[in-house]
Each structure stands twice: as structure tokens, then as C-alpha cells.
Amino acid sequence: MKATVDFAGEILVVEDGSAIVIGREGDLAIDDNPYLHRHFLEIAVADDLCWLTNLGSLLSATVSDAAGRVQAWLSPSARLPIVFDRTYVRFTAGPTSYALIIELDTPTFDETRFVHQEPTPKSETTIGLISLTPDQKLLILSLAEPVLIQEGMGAAALPASAEAARRLGWSQTKFTRKLDNVCEKVAKTGVRGLHGGTGQLATNRRARLVEYAISVGLVTEGDLWLLDRDEGSDASP
């Protein structure tokens, strides 16, 4: 088995019996961001299996298949087998979000066809068990916009809540209340990383929400026009 790692066009190949390290330093030094671990992720291939290991102590990563049907949260010290032909890995360090692709030449999982369910003509967007109101979708789009503009790849700076609220023409109070609501809704479906200590909520849950929403297709680049249509249209609290 051979794994190919693509970060914003920088390609590394991991042959059977070898491994690479990704972080602020390592085989793939993606950024000098001080919030990023020196050695964060390891991708290893051995005995016809590819493994992704979180070497860090603070940061987590969101891992998903190309279609967004399978999504996992890789915590510090955790290890996960990579089984799809194409896997997306997303993580955030400080204000910056990153994404890379792992491709396998001989994936261990053969994808089968899934029935595609057309969206219903209602005022909510439904992906799996999660239904988003129009305002909730706009909120996620306002946070995910920089990442989606780059087609979800490479590195992008996530906006602060105040900046995202201004983008929508909302008050800070309204934005925070709706962020609380959408995080609670997503967390109830079993998604981890959207709750924590008081000091952790501001940045971490926004990053986790963006990573999850993009991974499963809750928001896409094709939705960005909604921000321009609704910008400044509702400044109520």
C-alpha cells in the first residue's frame, strides 16, 4: 500500500514500512503557527494498513471520507486507520484552519453506492439527523467562509465572532445566542468538541463546528452566495 498526502499542492508519498510527521516541524512543515504542535500528526503505512496518529497534547483533528458520509474526531494520543481511497483531515490551531488529503492506491474499504436523498422543499436544510434553520446555516457560513473560498484546502484564518456577526449584520448578542443554539443542536447528534470549559468555548467550538460542517457537507462553496444575499438584512438582536 502507498499513501499520498496533499497539503495545498505540496505532495508527500508514504511507502509501506515508512511514516511521515506533520506539524510546525517534521516531514511536512505546514506553518510556523505557534499554536500548532511541532509534531502533530503521523501518517504511517505498515502491513497493508495506513494509520493516522495524533501526536499532540492539545489539538484534535476532524477526519472524513470524500463524500462526508463518515466523520471522526481524532483526539490527542488517538490513532485511526485510514481505509478510504480519499480521506480529508481538518484541524485548527489558534485562529487558523488547515486541511489536507490522504489518498490510498489500494484502499482497504470498497465504497458501495448510497441512496441519494433529495432535499425536501422546506425552510430547513437537513443533513443526516441535523436540520438547520436559514439563520443557523448563515451563521455557519459566516464562520466557514474563508475555508470554503479556498475549497476547503490549505490554510485559512477563521473569523472572530464579532467579525462574523458584522458580516451578517447581526448584533453580538444575537450571534452568540444562535451559536449556542446550533452548537447544542449538533452536539445532541453525538458530535464531540462543541462543549468544554468556559475558557475553551470561544475559539474551539467555532473551529470544531466549521470542521464538522464542511466535512459532512452542511455548508459548501456553492452556498456562499447566501451571505451576500442576506448581508445586513437582519440587524435585530
Side-chain angles (χ1 to χ4, degrees):
M1 177 184 290
K2 178 176 68 176
T4 302
V5 182
D6 181 351
F7 175 73
E10 184 173 353
I11 307 294
L12 281 175
V13 176
V14 187
E15 302 282 357
D16 189 37
S18 64
I20 65 168
V21 173
I22 300 168
R24 201 168 70 243
E25 300 175 4
D27 303 287
L28 179 56
I30 63 174
D31 200 352
D32 60 359
N33 181 350
Y35 294 98
L36 181 63
H37 293 301
R38 289 176 56 250
H39 296 160
F40 176 42
L41 298 174
E42 179 190 72
I43 300 171
V45 177
D47 300 324
D48 290 326
L49 283 175
C50 179
W51 291 93
L52 177 67
T53 303
N54 187 337
L55 304 175
S57 58
L58 297 173
L59 303 179
S60 297
T62 299
V63 183
S64 65
D65 70 317
R69 292 185 296 258
V70 178
Q71 182 268 346
W73 196 41
L74 191 67
S75 303
S77 301
R79 187 171 74 149
L80 183 73
I82 301 300
V83 298
F84 300 105
D85 58 348
R86 173 174 284 208
T87 299
Y88 289 81
V89 182
R90 298 178 174 89
F91 52 94
T92 302
T96 307
S97 178
Y98 304 90
L100 56 88
I101 299 173
I102 303 173
E103 292 185 314
L104 303 181
D105 62 343
T106 55
T108 55
F109 179 81
D110 292 327
E111 293 193 57
T112 57
R113 296 193 176 192
F114 288 77
V115 177
H116 175 68
Q117 183 177 1
E118 294 294 335
T120 57
K122 296 181 179 180
S123 61
E124 295 186 343
T125 298
T126 303
I127 302 289
L129 299 176
I130 301 176
S131 296
L132 296 179
T133 66
D135 274 1
Q136 288 172 341
K137 184 161 187 172
L138 284 173
L139 182 145
I140 296 175
L141 280 170
S142 71
L143 293 172
E145 183 178 20
V147 181
L148 292 172
I149 287 174
Q150 296 191 176
E151 299 181 346
M153 296 310 302
L158 297 181
S161 290
E163 182 181 352
R166 285 194 299 271
R167 178 77 169 95
L168 296 172
W170 294 357
S171 68
Q172 182 70 55
T173 300
K174 176 178 179 177
F175 184 92
T176 301
R177 173 169 51 83
K178 288 188 176 290
L179 179 60
D180 289 341
N181 291 340
V182 74
C183 284
E184 181 179 0
K185 174 181 286 189
V186 176
K188 283 181 178 178
T189 68
V191 177
R192 299 169 57 195
L194 293 171
H195 293 292
T198 303
Q200 299 175 339
L201 287 178
T203 300
N204 290 2
R205 69 172 179 173
R206 292 200 312 273
R208 174 58 175 148
L209 181 62
V210 168
E211 290 172 11
Y212 176 77
I214 293 177
S215 294
V216 301
L218 277 176
V219 293
T220 67
E221 184 184 7
D223 296 321
L224 290 174
W225 67 274
L226 293 169
L227 289 173
D228 295 324
R229 185 193 68 177
D230 287 82
E231 184 177 9
S233 63
D234 184 1
S236 60

